[in-house]
Amino acid sequence: MALSPSSNLLILLILSSLDWLPSPGSTFLTDWDHTTSSALIEPHFTECISRDQETFHCWWSPGSFQNLSSPGALRVFYLKKEPPTSQWKECPEYIHSNRECFFDEAHTSIWITYCMQLRTQNNITYFNEDDCFTVENIVRPDPPVNLNWTLLNTSPSGLNYDVMINWEPPPTADVRLGWMRVEYELQYRERNTTNWEALDIQRQSHQTIYGLRLGKEYEVHIRCRMQAFIKFGEFSESIFIQVTEIPSTESTVHLTLVLVFGTVGILILIMLIVISQQNRLMIFLLPPVPAPKIKGIDSELLKKGKLDELNFMLSGRGMDGLPIYAPDFYQDEPWVELMEVDETEDVDNGEKKDNRGSDTQKLLGQSQPVSQHININCSNSVSGPDAESSQATCYNTDLPEEETQMLMATLLPGQPDEEETSLDTGERSSASEKGERQLIQTQTRGPQTWVNTDFYAQVSNVMPTGGVVLSPGQQLRIQESISAAEKETKKKRKESEDSEESEERKQKEPQFQLLVVDPEGSAYSTESSIQQISTPPPSSPMPGEGYHIIHPQPVEPRPAAITELNQSPYIIPDSPQFFAPVADYTVVQELDSHHSLLLNPPCHQTPPPCLPQHPLKAPMPVGYITPDLLGNLSQ
Amino acid sequence: MQLETILPVCSPAHKQSFVLCVVAMCRAVPINDLIYRASQQSDKLHALSTMLTQELGSEAFPIDRVLACHTSSLQTPTDKEQALQVSESDLLSLARSLLQAWSDPLEVLSSSTNVLPYSAQSTLSKTIQKMQEHSKDLKDGLDILSSKMGPAAQTITSLPFIQTNEIGQDKITKLLSCFRRDSHKIDSFLKVLRCRAANMQPQVC
C-alpha cells in the first residue's frame, strides 16, 4: 500500500527502535507470497470479514501443505482478549466446504481483540500475530441495493444531461438502529472504457451525476464502507444509463406556435382599432392647424382668390374694427410699390416729356429731373371709398405717353374684381417688361403733386342720373401708345374687347365710359353699366369756368386708343386735349343741392399758385368721388 | 460542541453564571437536538482519529498491544444486542466517562509530539489539537444533555490515566490506537441514542 515518505520513515524508526510487529488487523491480508519463498507456505488465514458488525467469517488455506487440505485436518482456534479470561477456543462453526469459520452474534464482540490460530491434529500451531484484529476494523459492508437513475434536466444546448442516482443501504447493515453508519462511493464510466470516475464519498442514499453526454451509454456501480473506516465493501451490480433524445422539443414548438399566433392576433386587433378610430386617431396625432384669426375679418376671405375682398376689408371700408387705415383721408402717407420711372423713355419722348415737364412744373411748381420718381400721395384723397383704385390714381408726371395710357387706364376706377386685379397684373407686367414706368404709387411731394394732367379726365358734366361726363381733352397721347399698353393689359381687355372694337368702329363718336359709383354698394358697377358719355366739344372745357359737367353722351369717336381704356369704365376720349394743360381737369369738390358736381376752377397756371382751394380735400383724380359726394349723389 | 452554538444568549464570560444560564436555557432546547448535535460532534472526533491513523500508517497502530488501555476496565456493551438493551442514561454515562478519561491523555499527547519524527510532528500536533477541541465541545454538550436525562446519566466512572513525564513513542501509538477505539465507542453509543430518540424519523438516524 502507498505510504507517505514520512510515514515510512516513522515506521523504520519505530521498527528499528522498538522491534514492533505491524498491526495484524491491517496486515492480515498480507500476501504471503511476497514474504516467504515459494517453497513452503504454512497454513494461514486468508481473510476475515464482517458484514454487519455482528458476525464475521474467517477463511483459511493450508498453503503448501496439501495433506492438510482435507477437512478437519486443520482446526481453527481463536483467542478473545477479554479482561477476565483469555483462552483459546475452537471455531464455533465450521464450513469445511469453504474452509471457513463462522462466528455468529453470540461469539462476536466489538471492540475486543480476536486472535486466530490454526492447529493440526498433531497440535502443530500455526499462528501469526498479524492475525489479531478487532471486529469493527474488518467490517466490509454489503453493497447497496436497488440502484436506479432518473433524468434530471438537459442542458440548453441539448448535448448534456444530468441524472439522479438512488439506492438503498444494504439490508445486512443495521442502519436503522444506528448500529452501523455507512458512507457510499459512486463510480461511473462510459461503456467499454477502463477508467472509472469516482464521485465524492457521501452519506446520502442518492447522488447526482452531472454532464453526461447524450447518446452515450454509461455504466454505474456503487459500494459503501463504515463511516471513518477504511475498508470498502464489494461493488454493486452495474446499471446502465443512456439517453438518446431530449423530449423537450415539443414544448418549445408548442410555445413558438403560441407566441406566433398570439402576436398575429394582437397585431390584427391593433389594426382594427386603428382603422375604426382612424378619424379620432388622426385628430389626436395630427391636430388641425388653427386658421389664422384676424379680429374682424372672416377667415373665408383669407382663402385663395379672395384677395380683393380682403383688401377691401383691410382698407377699413367695410368693418369698423379695422384700425389699419385711419379715417383721415388726407394724411400724407407714403406708398411704396413696385413701379419705377425709366429715364430712357422719358428722354425719347421728348415731346411728351416737354409736355409732361411743363405740366409737372405747372402742377408742382418745381423743376424736376425727368427721371425723378414723384411720389404722389393719392391714397389719402381717395382712400375713403376705394383704396385700391386710389393706387391707380397716383401717377408719375414723368411717365411717357405709353405709360400715360396705362396709368390712365389704371387710374380710372373700375370693377373691383377685374380692374384691381388687372391693375396689379398690368402694373407688374409692364414693370417687368420695360422696367418701368407704371408708377402706381408715388410719394407725396406736396399736396399738389398728386396729379398728372395726362391721367385725368375733366368732368364736363354730371348727368341727372348721377353719371359724370368727362371731357375728351387728354386722349391724344393715349392713342399713340396703344400698342405698348396693349400687351400689358391684354388680359384685362378680354372682356372689353368687344366694346373696344365697337368703339373703334365708332371712332367718330367719342366714347366715354363712365363709371358710375354705385351709391348702394362698395363696388363699382360693371362695364355693362357704363354709360356712354359724350364729351362736349373740345372747346367746351374751359379752364376758366367754374365747373364742368360731364354729360354722358356719346362724343366723337375715338380711335383704338380707347382700347386701353376699356378696362376701366372711364374712357378718356382721344383728344389732344387729354394732355392739355391743367386746365382740362378739375376737381370735383362737392355737389350742390341739385346733384351737380361742383368743380374747382382749373389751375392752368404754374403749379405753385395752383393750390387747391380746399386743402383738406386733396386733389383727386377725376372720376373719383369722395364718400361725402357719394352720399350726396345718392340722395 | 460549542455552547454558543446551542445557546447564543449565554456568554461564557463567567463560567458559573454561564453554566447556570446554559442549564436554565437548556430546558428550552429539545433533547433530540442535543443528541443530534452530540452525535455530530462525536462523529467528527472519530473521523479525526481515523485520519490520524491513516496518516501515520496503520503499521504504527498495533491493535493487539492495546489490549491494556486505561479504559479497558469500563464495562461497555460489546455487541448490538447489548447496546440495544442498555438504557439511554447508561449509554450517556458511558460516553461521558470515556470522554472524561481522555482529557488528560490528550494533553499528554499534545505535549509529547516532539518524540516523533519531525515530518510527523506537525500533522500529529494539529490533529491532536483539533481532537482536544472537539472533545471539549462534546463534553460540554453531554454535560447539558445528561442534566436532562436523570441521575443515572450524571454518573461518571473515573478512569485514571497514569501519567508519566515522558512517554515514549510506543506510548504515543498505543494511546492513539486506544483513543481511536474509544472514540468509536462514544460515537456508536451516541448514534444508538440518537436513533432511539428519533423513533419515527429514520432519516434523522
Side-chain angles (χ1 to χ4, degrees):
Chain A
M1 58 188 74
L3 296 174
S4 62
S6 62
S7 59
N8 283 331
L9 186 59
L10 176 63
I11 290 164
L12 286 174
L13 286 172
I14 291 171
L15 289 176
S16 63
S17 62
L18 303 175
D19 192 23
W20 277 1
L21 294 173
S23 165
S26 58
T27 60
F28 184 63
L29 300 177
T30 305
D31 194 352
W32 279 79
D33 294 335
H34 295 158
T35 55
T36 60
S37 61
S38 60
L40 192 62
I41 301 176
E42 290 181 348
H44 58 274
F45 285 97
T46 56
E47 196 172 17
C48 285
I49 292 179
S50 172
R51 286 194 162 75
D52 51 5
Q53 205 175 349
E54 297 175 44
T55 62
F56 68 97
H57 305 258
C58 279
W59 290 272
W60 75 88
S61 166
S64 14
F65 290 79
Q66 293 303 321
N67 55 345
L68 298 176
S69 61
S70 60
L74 285 171
R75 294 186 296 172
V76 176
F77 283 86
Y78 68 94
L79 179 63
K80 197 170 176 182
K81 293 183 179 179
E82 283 180 299
T85 58
S86 136
Q87 60 182 5
W88 291 92
K89 293 178 184 176
E90 192 164 0
C91 172
E93 186 173 345
Y94 280 98
I95 301 175
H96 291 283
S97 57
N98 284 335
R99 285 198 276 269
E100 174 188 333
C101 182
F102 173 71
F103 293 82
D104 57 1
E105 292 87 346
H107 296 91
T108 306
S109 297
I110 313 299
W111 302 298
I112 292 174
T113 305
Y114 281 82
C115 289
M116 302 306 291
Q117 190 180 67
L118 284 170
R119 290 184 190 177
T120 63
Q121 298 290 343
N122 301 328
N123 289 337
I124 298 172
T125 303
Y126 300 97
F127 171 69
N128 194 340
E129 289 288 340
D130 295 338
D131 292 338
C132 293
F133 55 87
T134 55
V135 177
E136 69 270 14
N137 285 314
I138 60 165
V139 175
R140 291 181 186 270
D142 284 335
V145 295
N146 294 340
L147 197 60
N148 57 24
W149 66 276
T150 54
L151 181 66
L152 276 184
N153 50 24
T154 315
S155 69
S157 63
L159 298 175
N160 300 322
Y161 59 96
D162 305 331
V163 294
M164 170 71 78
I165 312 292
N166 294 289
W167 61 85
E168 290 178 3
T172 55
D174 194 350
V175 183
R176 185 175 60 86
L177 291 179
W179 182 242
M180 279 180 67
R181 285 84 56 197
V182 295
E183 54 192 19
Y184 305 95
E185 186 189 39
L186 195 63
Q187 290 182 2
Y188 71 97
R189 70 174 178 186
E190 279 186 44
R191 201 154 191 197
N192 299 333
T193 60
T194 57
N195 294 332
W196 289 90
E197 287 283 336
L199 301 183
D200 293 339
I201 298 172
Q202 51 90 30
R203 297 172 183 180
Q204 305 292 326
S205 59
H206 53 83
Q207 197 164 13
T208 307
I209 303 179
Y210 299 101
L212 293 180
R213 298 296 297 270
L214 206 61
K216 293 187 179 179
E217 191 175 12
Y218 291 92
E219 185 180 358
V220 178
H221 64 192
I222 192 171
R223 62 179 181 175
C224 61
R225 70 175 181 191
M226 287 261 288
Q227 287 180 9
F229 281 89
I230 308 167
K231 296 187 178 181
F232 274 103
E234 292 286 332
F235 274 109
S236 64
E237 293 290 331
S238 292
I239 60 169
F240 296 94
I241 300 174
Q242 188 173 17
V243 177
T244 53
E245 66 178 21
I246 309 296
S248 64
T249 55
E250 294 179 5
S251 61
T252 57
V253 168
H254 287 315
L255 190 63
T256 307
L257 283 175
V258 166
L259 283 176
V260 166
F261 282 112
T263 308
V264 169
I266 289 170
L267 283 175
I268 290 172
L269 196 64
I270 291 172
M271 291 283 295
L272 287 174
I273 290 172
V274 167
I275 289 169
S276 65
Q277 303 290 332
Q278 196 173 15
N279 291 333
R280 291 168 58 181
L281 276 180
M282 289 304 293
I283 290 173
F284 177 72
L285 291 174
L286 303 172
V289 179
K293 295 281 184 186
I294 301 174
K295 189 177 177 184
I297 289 184
D298 187 6
S299 60
E300 282 294 316
L301 289 179
L302 298 173
K303 293 187 180 175
K304 205 171 184 179
K306 300 186 181 178
L307 186 60
D308 302 331
E309 295 173 355
L310 179 63
N311 290 332
F312 175 70
M313 295 292 179
L314 289 176
S315 66
R317 245 184 315 154
M319 315 294 283
D320 297 334
L322 293 175
I324 298 175
Y325 287 92
D328 189 358
F329 305 135
Y330 310 110
Q331 285 179 356
D332 293 346
E333 285 184 2
W335 277 38
V336 178
E337 266 212 8
L338 313 167
M339 302 310 157
E340 297 178 10
V341 176
D342 191 353
E343 307 178 20
T344 56
E345 295 214 13
D346 293 337
V347 173
D348 294 336
N349 303 323
E351 181 185 2
K352 307 166 191 175
K353 172 186 165 183
D354 291 337
N355 290 333
R356 287 195 300 277
S358 64
D359 293 340
T360 303
Q361 289 172 0
K362 287 176 184 175
L363 274 175
L364 304 179
Q366 50 189 329
S367 62
Q368 299 168 357
V370 179
S371 62
Q372 265 189 347
H373 291 266
I374 299 178
N375 297 328
I376 299 175
N377 184 9
C378 44
S379 63
N380 293 332
S381 57
V382 297
S383 64
D386 186 0
E388 288 83 10
S389 11
S390 64
Q391 301 177 16
T393 63
C394 299
Y395 294 101
N396 189 343
T397 56
D398 295 332
L399 292 175
E401 298 174 9
E402 303 91 337
E403 298 306 324
T404 308
Q405 296 177 4
M406 287 300 304
L407 289 169
M408 290 179 66
T410 55
L411 270 180
L412 300 175
Q415 303 162 11
D417 294 321
E418 291 181 4
E419 193 170 23
E420 289 158 8
T421 54
S422 63
L423 281 174
D424 297 334
T425 54
E427 295 162 10
R428 294 184 196 110
S429 58
S430 62
S432 61
E433 288 182 13
K434 299 179 183 176
E436 334 192 335
R437 316 117 185 236
Q438 287 185 352
L439 181 65
I440 302 302
Q441 297 179 4
T442 55
Q443 283 184 349
T444 317
R445 301 260 176 137
Q448 340 147 310
T449 57
W450 68 282
V451 161
N452 184 347
T453 59
D454 298 337
F455 305 106
Y456 287 93
Q458 177 183 359
V459 178
S460 55
N461 195 10
V462 177
M463 297 302 294
T465 58
V468 176
V469 180
L470 299 176
S471 67
Q474 301 167 352
Q475 302 224 347
L476 280 179
R477 303 192 188 259
I478 293 174
Q479 227 171 2
E480 296 172 7
S481 60
I482 289 176
S483 62
E486 249 182 279
K487 298 178 198 173
E488 301 168 353
T489 58
K490 237 185 191 174
K491 261 198 297 187
K492 311 167 194 175
R493 291 174 219 149
K494 282 180 187 176
E495 299 182 4
S496 57
E497 269 187 23
D498 297 340
S499 56
E500 286 177 345
E501 295 169 1
S502 62
E503 288 178 354
E504 290 176 5
R505 296 173 202 132
K506 303 175 186 174
Q507 291 180 359
K508 296 187 176 179
E509 296 182 357
Q511 296 178 352
F512 291 91
Q513 291 188 350
L514 183 64
L515 177 66
V516 178
V517 178
D518 188 2
E520 300 173 357
S522 59
Y524 287 99
S525 57
T526 60
E527 284 185 347
S528 57
S529 62
I530 295 172
Q531 300 181 7
Q532 301 276 338
I533 55 175
S534 59
T535 60
S539 60
S540 56
M542 299 304 292
E545 295 181 6
Y547 49 83
H548 301 264
I549 296 177
I550 299 179
H551 298 280
Q553 299 169 0
V555 294
E556 301 158 12
R558 295 298 169 205
I562 301 175
T563 60
E564 300 185 47
L565 306 176
N566 286 343
Q567 53 184 321
S568 62
Y570 284 104
I571 293 182
I572 301 171
D574 287 327
S575 71
Q577 296 179 357
F578 191 77
F579 299 101
V582 178
D584 291 339
Y585 69 93
T586 58
V587 177
V588 177
Q589 294 293 336
E590 57 187 16
L591 289 176
D592 61 0
S593 57
H594 297 289
H595 299 280
S596 301
L597 294 175
L598 299 179
L599 305 173
N600 284 334
C603 296
H604 54 281
Q605 296 157 359
T606 57
C610 185
L611 292 172
Q613 297 179 354
H614 299 273
L616 290 180
K617 294 186 181 177
M620 67 183 75
V622 173
Y624 281 84
I625 302 177
T626 63
D628 303 340
L629 299 179
L630 176 62
N632 293 335
L633 280 174
S634 60
Q635 290 174 357
Chain B
M1 177 185 322
Q2 294 285 349
L3 284 176
E4 286 78 7
T5 58
I6 300 174
L7 303 165
V9 180
C10 294
S11 63
H14 303 280
K15 190 170 184 179
Q16 291 180 351
S17 59
F18 173 63
V19 170
L20 287 174
C21 173
V22 164
V23 170
M25 299 301 280
C26 272
R27 299 218 158 87
V29 181
I31 291 178
N32 287 349
D33 290 342
L34 286 173
I35 293 171
Y36 188 81
R37 294 172 193 179
S39 66
Q40 281 183 322
Q41 208 65 11
S42 67
D43 199 20
K44 291 180 188 175
L45 196 60
H46 180 55
L48 282 171
S49 67
T50 303
M51 186 181 68
L52 198 59
T53 58
Q54 282 183 319
E55 287 181 4
L56 293 181
S58 59
E59 288 83 2
F61 282 84
I63 301 300
D64 60 343
R65 300 294 185 194
V66 297
L67 178 62
C69 287
H70 69 285
T71 57
S72 299
S73 59
L74 189 61
Q75 289 292 331
T76 60
T78 55
D79 56 14
K80 186 174 82 173
E81 291 180 10
Q82 293 178 11
L84 294 179
Q85 289 171 0
V86 176
S87 66
E88 295 88 352
S89 302
D90 292 336
L91 281 174
L92 191 58
S93 173
L94 289 170
R96 290 179 68 205
S97 302
L98 285 171
L99 203 55
Q100 179 63 40
W102 277 101
S103 61
D104 292 338
L106 283 178
E107 288 287 338
V108 173
L109 272 174
S110 64
S111 62
S112 302
T113 55
N114 52 357
V115 181
L116 292 173
Y118 181 79
S119 58
Q121 281 183 9
S122 60
T123 306
L124 190 59
S125 57
K126 283 182 196 172
T127 310
I128 286 173
Q129 190 177 2
K130 287 184 189 175
M131 288 197 294
Q132 281 182 295
E133 291 172 0
H134 286 293
S135 174
K136 179 72 171 55
D137 295 338
L138 182 59
K139 179 176 175 302
D140 295 338
L142 289 181
D143 288 344
I144 294 169
L145 188 59
S146 64
S147 67
K148 296 192 169 190
M149 295 181 71
Q154 306 286 345
T155 308
I156 293 180
T157 305
S158 173
L159 299 167
F161 176 69
I162 299 169
Q163 178 180 349
T164 58
N165 290 335
E166 282 190 9
I167 52 174
Q169 196 168 356
D170 57 345
K171 204 80 167 137
I172 291 173
T173 56
K174 181 182 173 185
L175 280 173
L176 289 176
S177 57
C178 281
F179 180 73
R180 183 160 179 266
R181 187 184 75 174
D182 289 340
S183 65
H184 186 240
K185 274 189 184 178
I186 294 166
D187 190 35
S188 298
F189 296 156
L190 291 177
K191 289 295 192 300
V192 170
L193 203 59
R194 183 175 80 173
C195 288
R196 198 182 295 182
N199 274 343
M200 297 307 165
Q201 301 172 346
Q203 68 276 6
V204 177
C205 185

